[in-house]
Amino acid sequence: FGGQSTTEPVSVAARFSSIYADAVPPKISFPVEEFARHIPVPVITDEGQYSVQYVLDGNETALDDITIPEGAHRLQIIATDESGNTSAETFEFTIDRTAPKIQVMSPLNGTKVSDLTVSYSVQDANIGGVSVTLPNGTTLQNATSVRIPGDDIGLGLHQITVLATDLAGNQAEQTILFD
């Protein structure tokens, strides 16, 4: 080429835009009730990729509703996005999958009564409420003993029903028939 350039001069036009670093950490949502039979699936919101770490009662774990035993728990959820922004939230809840236990002391099932004394006990660590439905259809809330004169009961077969519900929504029901 003899020291001669074979190309024409070239102009380059460039346009620059600003690139901003992601400074917003992921958002964590975990709407768990204080008393629950099951835990909800946590929701992590971020515009990019992220990783999540679950620490249940001080131990890192894969969050699996089935393996969480009954009882009080503390769950920390840590979410980190691809820019290194981290958010952490701690949640406390109690898993309760066991229904209350009802014991009716009076009347006994299948007995004859002249005066009706309804007496029962309910066992549950997290009891929410108890109702008793009497033979006349009246429902009493959280009464552990009720006395009804025999004249108010009438003749024939009757029933009372005790319904107990704990704070996690587990229920137990016992119906007693008497004459």
Side-chain angles (χ1 to χ4, degrees):
F1 297 102
Q4 299 287 328
S5 172
T6 59
T7 62
E8 295 291 321
V10 176
S11 297
V12 176
R15 188 173 199 174
F16 294 96
S17 63
S18 299
I19 298 176
Y20 296 100
D22 175 10
V24 178
K27 291 188 183 350
I28 299 170
S29 176
F30 186 63
V32 68
E33 298 290 327
E34 180 181 358
F35 295 92
R37 288 180 275 182
H38 304 283
I39 60 168
V41 175
V43 176
I44 312 300
T45 307
D46 193 78
E47 291 184 11
Q49 298 292 319
Y50 57 86
S51 63
V52 181
Q53 178 185 15
Y54 302 106
V55 180
L56 181 67
D57 301 326
N59 300 306
E60 187 171 352
T61 185
L63 194 58
D64 180 2
D65 181 54
I66 295 170
T67 60
I68 297 177
E70 288 194 59
H73 297 284
R74 182 181 176 99
L75 175 66
Q76 184 178 31
I77 302 174
I78 305 161
T80 304
D81 67 18
E82 60 192 346
S83 296
N85 301 307
T86 299
S87 58
E89 297 281 340
T90 301
F91 304 90
E92 293 183 2
F93 55 92
T94 298
I95 295 293
D96 180 356
R97 296 183 183 102
T98 304
K101 292 188 181 9
I102 301 170
Q103 180 182 5
V104 177
M105 282 78 77
S106 173
L108 297 177
N109 202 26
T111 60
K112 291 186 184 271
V113 298
S114 55
D115 287 329
L116 175 62
T117 299
V118 179
S119 179
Y120 64 91
S121 67
V122 176
Q123 296 176 358
D124 193 280
N126 308 307
I127 194 67
V130 179
S131 65
V132 178
T133 303
L134 301 174
N136 66 2
T138 302
T139 299
L140 304 175
Q141 301 294 325
N142 301 316
T144 57
S145 182
V146 177
R147 187 179 179 310
I148 301 172
D151 294 342
D152 292 348
I153 300 171
L155 299 174
L157 188 63
H158 300 284
Q159 75 179 32
I160 60 166
T161 301
V162 179
L163 174 66
T165 306
D166 67 19
L167 294 173
N170 300 301
Q171 290 187 331
E173 179 177 284
Q174 188 170 355
T175 298
I176 302 295
L177 299 173
F178 62 93
D179 194 3

